[in-house]
Amino acid sequence: MSPLRFHIVNVFAEAPLAGNPLCVFEDGRGLDTAAMQALALQFNLSETTFILPATAAGATARVRIFTPTFEMPFAGHPTLGTAHVVHALAGTGERIVLEMQAGLIPVSAQEDVWTLQARAPAWHAPGLSRAAISAMLGIDEAEVLDGALWVDTGSEQLVIPLGSVAAVERCRPNADLLAQSASGSGREGLAYVWARAGEGQVRARFFFTKFGGIVEDPGTGSACANLGGWLIARQAPLPAALEIAQGEEVGRPCRLGLRVAADRSISVSGRVIEIGRGEISI
């Protein structure tokens, strides 16, 4: 097989060595699912994507997204980072459409800031008490606000509002309780905690379980979109615009932009910085 060309980009990044890293393979043709999954494990980033020819009308390219252990139908930072690479390779305009398992995702650019249009949200209550949520997160019950919801704009996650930024920072999730309580769509332990940090500002963290332990994601575009769905579900005033700070605890500060329009459409944006490219032979 010919060498496989890849790009390393950082998404939601305000500096070259910040943001959420992503590996993007230029051409996934000739690779089966097992090979893609093995390559994702080889790079061991939160996600690795593979660009393929589009099969749906109106799509610019088809994209498959893999974590080191499974394939995802949709994820935010892989969408934005892959769009950046598709744009550079194909010389497309600043509006493209990516075909994913979750459907067609419109993406647009303003210089190096990319914006995706999320799907309309679905939601349901988790059936967890505030006491159960506080035990799961390792914080006081008084710090957990009412209104936790499972939200799905392409990837379902448990969205949990907290009373303060300090409460977000104090979270120390219990892996067993997270796996038991924050599980949906066949995946275990998916908790997005957030609090308002001032006018138009939010502080957030996203936790998930992996191999029996806790992993914290530095910048989660799908969860940001789900926060937009949470605002819709809770009948928050619209339009709404928020800047989300995430990733400080893991040394990869990320900045995500969330917009929920008056028509309830949800968009997520972030800066993409390419820091390297290369080839791999298998």
Side-chain angles (χ1 to χ4, degrees):
M1 178 177 286
S2 300
L4 302 169
R5 293 189 295 271
F6 65 87
H7 299 245
I8 301 295
V9 298
N10 288 329
V11 184
F12 306 127
E14 297 299 313
L17 296 180
N20 200 348
L22 174 74
C23 178
V24 182
F25 280 90
E26 291 185 6
D27 189 353
R29 291 176 295 181
L31 296 172
D32 61 16
T33 296
M36 291 181 183
Q37 185 66 78
L39 284 165
L41 180 57
Q42 173 70 39
F43 279 80
N44 204 33
L45 298 175
S46 55
E47 281 97 11
T48 295
T49 64
F50 299 85
I51 300 171
L52 297 157
T55 61
T60 311
R62 184 163 68 97
V63 180
R64 295 183 70 180
I65 305 170
F66 289 81
T67 76
T69 54
F70 60 90
E71 186 172 6
M72 296 187 70
F74 168 77
H77 101 274
T79 299
L80 300 181
T82 305
H84 182 88
V85 174
V86 168
H87 172 70
L89 293 175
T92 61
E94 294 185 340
R95 294 182 180 274
I96 64 177
V97 178
L98 297 182
E99 176 188 353
M100 298 183 172
Q101 288 185 6
L104 299 181
I105 308 296
V107 194
S108 61
Q110 186 173 6
E111 297 181 348
D112 59 354
V113 175
W114 286 85
T115 300
L116 66 85
Q117 191 79 33
R119 295 189 334 185
W123 60 83
H124 62 92
L128 295 172
S129 66
R130 289 172 56 197
I133 292 173
S134 66
M136 179 181 72
L137 296 176
I139 57 177
D140 292 338
E141 182 179 345
E143 297 176 311
V144 179
L145 301 182
D146 291 330
L149 290 173
W150 281 103
V151 185
D152 188 353
T153 57
S155 181
E156 187 181 49
Q157 294 139 358
L158 182 58
V159 179
I160 304 169
L162 300 183
S164 68
V165 169
V168 172
E169 295 172 344
R170 278 195 294 271
C171 286
R172 298 293 184 270
N174 178 291
D176 291 338
L177 293 178
L178 191 66
Q180 293 168 16
S181 302
S183 299
S185 298
R187 292 178 58 197
E188 291 186 349
L190 301 160
Y192 181 73
V193 300
W194 67 281
R196 294 191 180 271
E199 185 65 31
Q201 304 292 314
V202 163
R203 181 78 168 81
R205 298 172 73 184
F206 180 69
F207 306 103
F208 60 97
T209 54
K210 181 179 178 181
F211 300 134
I214 297 286
V215 178
E216 180 169 352
D217 194 45
T220 317
S222 58
C224 181
N226 286 342
L227 176 57
W230 186 94
L231 294 175
I232 292 170
R234 299 288 292 179
Q235 300 183 336
L238 300 178
L242 297 172
E243 181 181 276
I244 291 90
Q246 188 183 344
E248 280 78 2
E249 281 77 9
V250 291
R252 300 287 299 196
C254 293
R255 294 296 179 271
L256 299 81
L258 171 64
R259 301 286 185 276
V260 185
D263 65 1
R264 295 187 165 194
S265 61
I266 300 169
S267 60
V268 174
S269 61
R271 180 167 283 105
V272 179
I273 300 175
E274 180 170 333
I275 63 168
R277 62 184 69 182
E279 294 182 343
I280 188 169
S281 297
I282 58 173

